[in-house]
């Protein structure tokens, strides 16, 4: 296990040496297939609900869509964590991907039939809920294929590649909508393509040997239901006992709250307020451009985070990212123009990804393997519940056209409060070390 607060690679391996390890390549390929399918599914569903001429979308409908896509992560998280620290993670990845593929097809069928409300949301809830076993399983498995000295670098590589692949999946969804049409039938056909990612991810995960991805030890009650019931509490205790993890989680939650409000504003502006600006587009095409800008931010974060952490340390890197996000939110968010929205998407996504990579490295390096799955489950639970809560709160006050300077200022304040909380909690680390 790395020392608390370190999280810095002893030397930089580079992508070529990382990819030279067969198990790392296999885990990465499974992750990329899964995230491509996730990106396509979510973009297909968003197009079906938000930019479908046969349906109407107001702020509360947008909030409901976010709840469908994100809340299952919070509901399933405690279960996923306990089971990932109990079951063979290879088996979890295979079975969860196959189950997700089945429910992707059911959701696509619901979209194609024009179903709305509970039937559509129930099917989508299952897809995103099952995805938690995949995402948490992949994260908890990474230390089994990469030496702990290189977790920051490896995590930056796989997270960046996965996020970019999800953006690619979303881009495929936009292209497939052009091919199949924007109505219910075309949206259903587009969404159905996500099954390819699930099947590919299951096939790749099945090639690992039994037990190759952990857990190495089972520190669980003998009864599964009891283990599930304790999963979230165990993860919270482990995170709180590790100040580097608790502080990093707080910083990330501040980002998700601010980012959630910004995302709602962007969706409403693109749908109801903005018009094309030269080569820049509004509407669904504009959201595609925002996704590309965000993908570029993710790529940059993946390329530089490991090196920035080596120079500034994890604490300095997180503080710098939060300050960048706050200044971007205020300076580029208030004009509410297409060019500034694209620039803000790039910088905010970059800053958020830097913070996320530091959180992932803290959990993977500072938390023991016997409880790591439960901490990642807590991570997912808080991560997504915070964004849903932020979107829902913003939806209650934002005007239909999305022009709300007050929300932009509130999001800026969230970043600054997150920075203050992070500094206070990391001081607890310094105090503990001094008293040791």
């Amino acid at each position: 296990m790395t020392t608390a607060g370190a999280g810095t690679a002893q030397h930089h391996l580079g992508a070529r040496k990382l990819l030279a390890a067969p198990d790392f390549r296999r885990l990465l390929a499974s992750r990329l297939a899964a995230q491509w399918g996730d990106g396509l599914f979510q973009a297909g569903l968003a197009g079906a609900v938000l930019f479908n001429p046969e349906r109407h979308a107001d702020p509360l409908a947008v909030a409901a869509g976010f709840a469908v896509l994100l809340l299952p992560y919070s509901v399933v998280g405690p279960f996923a964590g306990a089971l990932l620290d109990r079951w063979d993670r290879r088996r979890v990845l295979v079975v969860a991907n196959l189950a997700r593929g089945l429910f992707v097809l059911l959701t696509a069928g619901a979209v194609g039939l024009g179903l709305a409300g509970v039937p559509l949301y129930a099917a989508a809830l299952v897809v995103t809920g099952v995805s938690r076993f995949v995402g948490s399983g992949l994260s908890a498995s990474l230390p089994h294929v990469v030496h702990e000295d290189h977790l920051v670098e490896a995590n930056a590589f796989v997270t960046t590649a996965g996020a970019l692949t999800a953006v690619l999946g979303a881009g495929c969804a936009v292209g497939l909508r052009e091919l199949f049409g924007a109505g219910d039938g075309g949206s259903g056909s587009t969404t159905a393509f996500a099954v390819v990612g699930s099947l590919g991810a299951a096939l790749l995960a099945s090639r690992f040997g039994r037990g190759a991805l952990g857990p190495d030890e089972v520190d669980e009650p003998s009864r599964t239901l009891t283990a599930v019931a304790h999963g979230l509490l165990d993860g919270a205790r482990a995170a709180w006992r590790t100040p580097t993890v608790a502080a990093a989680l707080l910083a990330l939650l501040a980002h998700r709250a601010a980012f959630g409000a910004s995302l709602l504003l962007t969706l409403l502006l693109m749908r109801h307020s903005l018009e094309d600006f030269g080569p820049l587009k509004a509407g669904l095409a504009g959201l595609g451009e925002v996704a590309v800008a965000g993908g570029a931010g993710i790529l940059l974060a993946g390329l530089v985070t490991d090196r920035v952490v080596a120079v500034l340390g994890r604490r300095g890197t997180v503080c710098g990212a939060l300050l960048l996000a706050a200044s971007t939110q205020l300076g580029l968010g208030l004009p509410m123009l297409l060019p500034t929205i694209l620039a803000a998407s790039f910088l905010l996504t970059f800053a958020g990804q830097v913070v996320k990579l530091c959180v992932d490295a803290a959990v993977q390096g500072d938390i023991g393997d016997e409880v790591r799955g439960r901490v990642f489950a807590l991570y997912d639970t808080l991560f997504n519940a915070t964004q849903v809560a932020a979107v829902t709160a913003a939806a209650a006050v934002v005007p239909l056209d999305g022009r709300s300077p007050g929300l932009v200022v509130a999001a800026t304040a969230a970043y600054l409060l997150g920075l203050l909380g992070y500094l206070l909690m990391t001081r607890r680390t310094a105090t503990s070390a001094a008293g040791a």
Side-chain angles (χ1 to χ4, degrees), residues 152 155 244-253 305 309 314 318 352-367 375-376 379-380 383 422:
V152 172
N155 200 66
T244 54
V245 174
L249 280 173
L250 178 62
L252 186 62
L253 295 184
T305 299
V309 170
R314 193 186 297 158
V318 171
Q353 187 71 1
V354 168
V355 175
K356 184 181 185 302
L357 291 173
C358 290
V359 177
D360 289 348
V363 175
Q364 291 167 338
D366 300 345
I367 297 291
V375 175
F376 268 113
Y379 177 170
D380 284 333
F383 184 92
Y422 179 77

Side-chain angles (χ1 to χ4, degrees), residues 281-334:
K281 304 297 181 183
L284 185 60
L287 285 181
E289 293 177 349
V290 167
V292 170
I298 290 171
L299 176 60
L300 180 61
L303 293 174
V304 306
T305 299
D306 182 47
R307 293 172 171 83
V308 174
V309 170
V311 175
L312 300 180
R314 193 186 297 158
R315 185 173 185 267
T317 301
V318 171
C319 290
L322 290 175
L323 284 173
L324 173 63
S327 58
T328 298
Q329 185 74 53
L330 194 63
L332 296 178
L334 281 177

Side-chain angles (χ1 to χ4, degrees), residues 3 6 57 59 82 99 105 135 146 177 197 206 211 215 301 323 350 366 397 422:
T3 58
L105 294 178
V146 176
R177 273 173 58 87
S206 70
L323 284 173
F350 166 75
D366 300 345
V397 298
Y422 179 77

Side-chain angles (χ1 to χ4, degrees), residues 335-417:
M336 299 185 193
L337 303 171
L338 274 176
T340 61
I341 286 174
L342 287 174
S345 175
F346 171 74
L347 291 173
L348 289 176
T349 308
F350 166 75
Q353 187 71 1
V354 168
V355 175
K356 184 181 185 302
L357 291 173
C358 290
V359 177
D360 289 348
V363 175
Q364 291 167 338
D366 300 345
I367 297 291
D369 186 63
E370 72 281 356
V371 75
R372 189 180 295 130
R374 279 165 284 181
V375 175
F376 268 113
L378 174 72
Y379 177 170
D380 284 333
T381 298
L382 296 176
F383 184 92
N384 295 288
T386 299
Q387 183 162 332
V388 171
V391 171
T392 303
V397 298
V398 68
L400 183 62
D401 64 3
R403 296 193 176 277
S404 178
L407 276 179
V408 175
V409 173
T412 303
Y415 281 119
L416 296 176
L417 288 173

